[in-house]
Amino acid sequence: MADPIEPSTSSSDPNSIPIPTTILHPRREPFEHGLLTIQKLIFNDPVQALTPLKQKFASPSTQRVDSAALAELLQISFDHSRLVLETLASVLHSESDPLVTALPDDVDSIGADLRDLILFLYIQSYKRLLPRSHKDSAAVADVWPSMSAFDGYLSALSPLQLVRSNSRRFMPSQADEEAHQLSYLQKHLANILSLLSEHVEGESEESLVLNMEGFEHLGFLIQFGDKGSGGVPLSQAAPFFANSDPDMPAAPVPVSQVHDWLLQTIASSLESITEKVSAKENGSPSGSDQDIAMADASPSSAKASPTARSPCFVEGVSKSSYVKQASDLKSSSVKVINCHDSTIYILAPLRYAIIYGCSDATIVLGAVGKVSLPLCC
């Protein structure tokens, strides 16, 4: 029988663990584009529901899960399990995962990495941030659907009402959404780590440990810095795995130590984001969250966010045509919001596109990985 894995001997005292100065961000992709409207995937107790999946595929030789096995284990249809794998592939953090580049006919044979799949299924219970209340909500509801079951935070205004009211004041900003997502992760962190951890036998009280590979899979949910702008690899930001020798992997770390460090890091990031939101509400908006003045409905009201993390917005276009070329976009995702009786061309390759609150509009997209069309008619 092989000797048990020895956990790291680093102190689990949270006061001895340095907190990184770089802000921890939730990844927008799984929270914004990875939630499915499949009722059987919303678990009352995710740990209880997902532990059998972990136990069945935990051995090193079977750590990828195909559609048939997933359908059988979760008691969902094969089509739904296939949709799970395809959606997971579209929001994965690792471009090197074979599922990302798999051809449609090969998705089932390749399957999903067990740890990524567990994280993806866990966050299906996440509830999006609701919009701020509108001062004339009754009048708004008379004209335009007040809420979408698909996207809980959608604008409640019609395109013409958007022109008059600057509805993005009532939609959660990027900072609001990040704070909400980090708070969710903060609340569920212990459960998430337990599902990624390994049990080791021995005299130590720390029977649950997390190895570096398992820790890096948390990159599906969180990241340091901005993707595409010099972000810090997750394992290099953690003091217990930083500067590890690739030829000699770091020893597994007690889950309690990882939990304490991440809780402190999330709390520090939440404090920073809260200060950002407060500054905006006090009249000092940041570049990426600044509200768009919608004095009139014209193509000039559309705005591209300046950072790689922020989607490009095309908003409030009415009775006109509008074109965006690849050179106009600084992001791989776009949101077309509350456009009416218009023709809009987004002529650039995209990973994600969300089109909502639009009516009587023709919207032409180039190559795109995933499209959502809630609240459109």
Side-chain angles (χ1 to χ4, degrees):
M1 180 176 177
D3 292 332
I5 300 172
E6 290 294 329
S8 169
T9 57
S10 302
S11 170
S12 60
D13 179 5
N15 295 324
S16 67
I17 304 176
I19 302 303
T21 56
T22 307
I23 294 178
L24 180 72
H25 294 283
R27 285 186 68 242
R28 296 177 64 86
E29 291 86 351
F31 288 105
E32 193 162 300
H33 305 286
L35 303 184
L36 299 173
T37 53
I38 301 175
Q39 189 61 37
K40 284 190 175 182
L41 298 185
I42 301 176
F43 309 116
N44 292 327
D45 185 344
V47 173
Q48 182 179 6
L50 296 175
T51 295
L53 178 67
K54 174 185 175 181
Q55 292 173 340
K56 183 171 182 178
F57 295 95
S59 68
S61 61
T62 58
Q63 283 211 331
R64 299 196 74 87
V65 185
D66 60 26
S67 300
L70 183 64
E72 179 183 356
L73 201 62
L74 297 183
Q75 295 297 296
I76 59 177
S77 69
F78 181 83
D79 288 341
H80 279 169
S81 66
R82 176 65 181 256
L83 178 62
V84 167
L85 296 193
E86 291 176 346
T87 305
L88 172 60
S90 73
V91 297
L92 274 175
H93 61 301
S94 175
E95 299 290 344
S96 61
D97 191 289
L99 188 61
V100 174
T101 55
L103 297 174
D105 292 340
D106 297 332
V107 168
D108 290 318
S109 60
I110 292 174
D113 183 280
L114 173 63
R115 289 156 295 194
D116 292 332
L117 181 60
I118 284 174
L119 295 176
F120 176 82
L121 292 172
Y122 192 102
I123 66 167
Q124 296 304 308
S125 60
Y126 170 77
K127 293 181 174 58
R128 290 183 172 95
L129 188 61
L130 295 176
R132 304 179 183 94
S133 59
H134 188 267
K135 63 182 179 180
D136 192 15
S137 57
V140 168
D142 285 343
V143 180
W144 201 249
S146 59
M147 192 67 63
S148 163
F150 185 86
D151 271 305
Y153 60 84
L154 298 185
S155 170
L157 302 182
S158 72
L160 295 181
Q161 287 172 319
L162 174 73
V163 174
R164 303 187 185 101
S165 67
N166 185 12
S167 71
R168 284 191 63 200
R169 289 180 302 168
F170 305 102
M171 295 173 62
S173 67
Q174 179 180 330
D176 292 329
E177 290 175 344
E178 285 199 356
H180 186 61
Q181 291 158 7
L182 282 177
S183 296
Y184 170 85
L185 293 174
Q186 188 178 46
K187 177 181 178 181
H188 292 270
L189 185 60
N191 288 343
I192 289 171
L193 291 178
S194 71
L195 288 168
L196 293 179
S197 65
E198 301 173 347
H199 180 79
V200 293
E201 298 177 358
E203 297 179 0
S204 171
E205 294 180 359
E206 298 287 359
S207 60
L208 288 179
V209 298
L210 190 65
N211 59 31
M212 188 167 73
E213 185 180 0
F215 181 77
E216 287 176 339
H217 279 274
L218 286 171
F220 177 74
L221 298 176
I222 55 178
Q223 65 187 34
F224 285 97
D226 291 341
K227 184 177 181 181
S229 59
V232 181
L234 203 59
S235 61
Q236 292 303 306
F240 29 80
F241 291 128
N243 303 317
S244 298
D245 185 348
D247 298 326
M248 186 178 295
V253 177
V255 164
S256 60
Q257 184 176 343
V258 179
H259 181 262
D260 290 343
W261 180 78
L262 280 174
L263 276 185
Q264 290 185 71
T265 305
I266 290 173
S268 176
S269 299
L270 276 172
E271 183 178 353
S272 176
I273 292 171
T274 301
E275 291 175 356
K276 180 180 178 182
V277 172
S278 298
K280 177 184 174 182
E281 291 176 348
N282 291 333
S284 303
S286 67
S288 61
D289 283 330
Q290 188 172 7
D291 286 329
I292 298 175
M294 301 296 293
D296 54 35
S298 67
S300 62
S301 64
K303 173 185 176 183
S305 300
T307 68
R309 284 177 52 79
S310 304
C312 166
F313 288 94
V314 177
E315 184 172 2
V317 179
S318 180
K319 297 184 183 298
S320 59
S321 297
Y322 185 74
V323 179
K324 267 196 177 294
Q325 304 282 355
S327 58
D328 300 324
L329 301 177
K330 299 180 181 179
S331 172
S332 61
S333 63
V334 67
K335 291 184 178 181
V336 181
I337 305 172
N338 290 323
C339 295
H340 175 70
D341 195 16
S342 301
T343 302
I344 298 168
Y345 299 88
I346 310 294
L347 305 179
L350 298 167
R351 291 199 66 180
Y352 311 102
I354 294 181
I355 301 168
Y356 59 79
C358 298
S359 64
D360 300 320
T362 299
I363 300 170
V364 180
L365 300 174
V368 60
K370 185 179 181 186
V371 181
S372 300
L373 298 99
L375 202 61
C376 292
C377 59

